[in-house]
């Protein structure tokens, strides 16, 4: 009796499991199942209804595409070049696959999609992963001379064994010695024979683009300290730069100025004669923004699309550990020493040492970019009540003093050359 009752309950349990299984099959008539055989692809199109008639032979990384063909549920792996895509069976049918192009760059581009079935068989078809052309955003030293090693920083600086990256300098002079390449940086030796200023052109498998900067830019040179590049050989004011001017053969391009003094940790005790120069416009010294190069830039760009650039050299033995470099534009006819401390005069404070407590360029000349949009501070580092406008572009002053950040006392040597204004596009 007892055994009979147990058998009855067991039968009930089995019937329940069978019932659940039957119900499950009935509730999932479209359950995804992998098919046998190889897929066939007819074309690739846009996944969007509004543009689904647009056939595609390539797509950028991260974009979604729709692959159209037959027996596509046989696919268990899908590769773009040598990068595997993520398959979602919710977006796979016998005739379509919706898939995102992988965001990783191909190591060996073949311009094909590979489909692998459960048996390990491979079906391939032509499809190009579109990679942006090379981007050259900045350069370690824009005024480097022949034989010097420099680095261009950017993105998509791609070099392949069968399709090498190449560089051409202004005047169409080829670079013959590239020492290292990564996706974001390329290092090379400046070739001899470059006599022109202008854009540098970079070519990869994916196209040719010009750099965002000019090499040896002299379109709006303000102070080159030689008078040979369109800038002034000397400034004008109580401290015209003559006390700090150097021409000892170590410059980036001839003469330069050298700020050299002991700085206090508080950023305020700084000898003015050793750490500044002034340019004040007057009857014999023009307003800076009326100079032809400056006026041309102002006619083409908004102030926020321009920057002050210069080359700077700071030896490791004289690292910068306190105080800001004030870069100041000042009004025509009213400029004076008081502008150093005048809170209504907007200026930029360059103090890169605040990031890690110390800053130097390893004794190498390095291009520094200070956007005009950064000219919004007072000498103490507060936000200035006045925005930079053209009325302030009469004169210019550099002074290592203030900034509002405390650091460490140091013996600073800061060499500066080729002060100019340039676009930041």
């Amino acid at each position: 009796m007892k055994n009979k009752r147990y058998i009855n309950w067991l039968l009930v349990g089995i019937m329940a499991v069978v019932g659940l299984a039957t119900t499950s099959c009935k509730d999932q008539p479209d359950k995804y199942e992998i098919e046998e055989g190889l897929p066939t692809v007819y074309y690739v199109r846009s996944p969007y209804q509004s543009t689904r008639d647009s056939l595609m032979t390539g797509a950028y990384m991260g974009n979604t595409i729709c692959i159209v063909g037959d027996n596509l549920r046989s696919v268990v792996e899908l590769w773009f070049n040598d990068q595997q895509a993520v398959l979602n069976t919710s977006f796979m049918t016998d005739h379509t696959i919706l898939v995102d192009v992988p965001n990783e760059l191909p190591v060996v581009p073949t311009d094909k999609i590979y489909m692998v079935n459960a048996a390990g068989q491979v079906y391939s078809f032509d499809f190009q992963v579109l990679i942006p052309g090379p981007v050259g955003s900045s350069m370690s030293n824009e005024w480097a001379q022949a034989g010097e090693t420099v680095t261009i920083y950017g993105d998509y600086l791609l070099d392949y064994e069968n399709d090498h990256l190449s560089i051409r300098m202004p005047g169409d002079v080829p670079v013959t010695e590239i020492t290292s390449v990564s996706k974001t940086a390329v290092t090379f030796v400046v070739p001899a024979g470059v006599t022109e200023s202008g854009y540098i052109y970079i070519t990869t498998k994916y196209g040719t683009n010009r750099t965002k900067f000019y090499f040896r830019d002299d379109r709006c040179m303000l102070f080159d300290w030689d008078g040979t590049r369109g800038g002034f050989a000397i400034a004008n004011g109580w401290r015209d730069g003559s006390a700090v001017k150097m021409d000892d053969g170590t410059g980036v391009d001839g003469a330069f100025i050298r700020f050299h003094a002991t700085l206090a940790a508080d950023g305020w005790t700084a000898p003015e004669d050793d750490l500044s120069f002034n340019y004040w416009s007057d009857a014999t010294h023009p307003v800076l923004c009326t100079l032809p190069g400056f006026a041309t830039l102002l006619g083409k760009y908004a102030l926020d699309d321009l920057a002050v650039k210069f080359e700077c050299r700071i030896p490791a033995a004289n690292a910068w550990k306190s105080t800001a470099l004030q870069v100041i534009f000042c009004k025509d006819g009213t400029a004076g020493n008081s502008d150093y401390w005048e809170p209504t005069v907007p200026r930029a404070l360059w103090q890169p040492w605040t990031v890690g407590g110390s800053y130097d360029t390893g004794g190498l000349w390095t291009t520094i970019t200070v956007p005009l949009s950064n000219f919004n501070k007072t000498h103490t580092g507060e936000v200035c009540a006045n925005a930079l406008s053209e009325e302030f572009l009469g004169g210019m002053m550099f002074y290592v003093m203030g900034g509002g950040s405390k650091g460490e006392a140091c013996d600073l040597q800061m060499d500066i050359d080729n002060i100019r204004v340039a676009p930041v596009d």
Side-chain angles (χ1 to χ4, degrees), residues 145-148 169 173-176 188-194 216:
Q145 304 303 307
E148 295 183 31
M169 304 298 288
V173 178
V175 170
T176 58
F188 61 96
V189 177
V190 177
V194 181
R216 298 179 187 165

Side-chain angles (χ1 to χ4, degrees), residues 144-365:
Q145 304 303 307
E148 295 183 31
T149 299
V150 294
T151 300
I152 290 177
Y153 302 97
D155 206 352
Y156 301 108
L157 304 172
L158 306 176
D159 183 76
Y160 297 106
E161 184 176 351
N162 297 321
D163 211 326
H164 289 293
L165 176 147
S166 63
I167 301 172
R168 302 193 79 83
M169 304 298 288
D172 204 30
V173 178
V175 170
T176 58
E177 188 175 353
I178 296 177
T179 59
S180 68
V181 184
S182 71
K183 178 175 178 289
T184 57
V186 53
T187 301
F188 61 96
V189 177
V190 177
V194 181
T195 59
E196 300 179 20
S197 63
Y199 295 111
I200 298 171
Y201 285 83
I202 307 173
T203 299
T204 70
K205 170 182 171 65
Y206 301 104
T208 299
N209 283 330
R210 70 183 191 186
T211 55
K212 294 184 177 182
F213 59 87
Y214 250 49
F215 182 68
R216 298 179 187 165
D217 192 355
D218 56 4
R219 292 171 295 176
C220 183
M221 186 67 71
L222 301 180
F223 304 95
D224 60 10
W225 307 107
D226 299 295
T228 59
R229 300 291 185 181
F232 294 108
I234 203 71
N236 177 56
W238 291 353
R239 293 166 182 83
D240 62 5
S242 56
V244 293
K245 185 173 176 177
M246 303 284 294
D247 193 2
D248 60 2
T250 68
V252 67
D253 179 47
F256 59 95
I257 57 172
R258 171 171 290 170
F259 296 154
H260 188 189
T262 298
L263 305 179
D266 63 8
W268 293 104
T269 308
E272 188 176 346
D273 288 346
D274 300 324
L275 297 169
S276 68
F277 81 85
N278 319 129
Y279 178 88
W280 300 331
S281 58
D282 57 28
T284 57
H285 294 82
V287 173
L288 289 182
C289 66
T290 64
L291 296 173
F294 209 160
T296 297
L297 290 181
L298 291 175
K300 294 176 60 177
Y301 299 93
L303 288 182
D304 282 354
D305 295 326
L306 298 173
V308 171
K309 286 189 170 187
F310 54 90
E311 275 61 57
C312 179
R313 177 176 60 186
I314 301 175
N318 300 92
W320 191 7
K321 301 178 182 179
S322 71
T323 314
L325 171 63
Q326 297 192 55
V327 183
I328 308 169
F329 281 110
C330 42
K331 293 182 179 181
D332 172 36
T334 62
N337 239 32
S338 61
D339 280 1
Y340 287 141
W341 304 278
E342 175 53 58
T344 62
V345 176
R347 81 280 314 278
L349 301 178
W350 185 50
Q351 42 189 350
W353 62 267
T354 59
V355 175
S358 180
Y359 176 81
D360 65 81
T361 67
L364 300 176
W365 284 100

Side-chain angles (χ1 to χ4, degrees), residues 62-80:
N63 284 6
T64 304
I65 63 172
C66 180
I67 300 172
V68 180
D70 283 330
N71 199 32
L72 297 185
R73 289 207 297 186
S74 67
V75 177
V76 296
E77 292 182 15
L78 194 152
W79 296 73
F80 291 77

